[in-house]
Amino acid sequence: STAPTLANFAHWAQVLAQAIGASLLLIGLWTTLATVPLLLVPGWPLLLALGRGADPLALRMNLLLLLATLACAVGGPGKWAVGKE
């Protein structure tokens, strides 16, 4: 067992935010709000890496994940979503 550290807490908070956001996105509840943690989690390290001059093709899976999540945010809830008015 590892000792609780700030890095461990940050990692598990990130995993929990992704799980909650993905669950809300899956059922269609608060779709736009649910995509915020899903955009920030892969997006922030991706922007930092691109800012440092990383090759965009080396980060293509992260870019794809970011674009797919952005498309879900822009598309909004589906026809049978729970949160649709």
Side-chain angles (χ1 to χ4, degrees):
S1 149
T2 61
T5 63
L6 185 59
N8 287 342
F9 174 74
H11 170 73
W12 285 107
Q14 173 184 355
V15 169
L16 184 64
Q18 275 187 311
I20 291 172
S23 300
L24 290 173
L25 187 64
L26 186 65
I27 64 172
L29 186 63
W30 300 321
T31 305
T32 307
L33 184 63
T35 56
V36 171
L38 296 176
L39 284 171
L40 289 178
V41 169
W44 187 249
L46 182 68
L47 288 175
L48 290 176
L50 290 174
R52 291 185 187 126
D55 182 22
L57 291 178
L59 303 168
R60 63 183 174 269
M61 290 306 293
N62 291 344
L63 283 170
L64 182 63
L65 177 65
L66 191 67
L67 290 175
T69 307
L70 186 62
C72 289
V74 170
K79 185 176 182 180
W80 294 295
V82 174
K84 188 168 177 140
E85 284 92 29

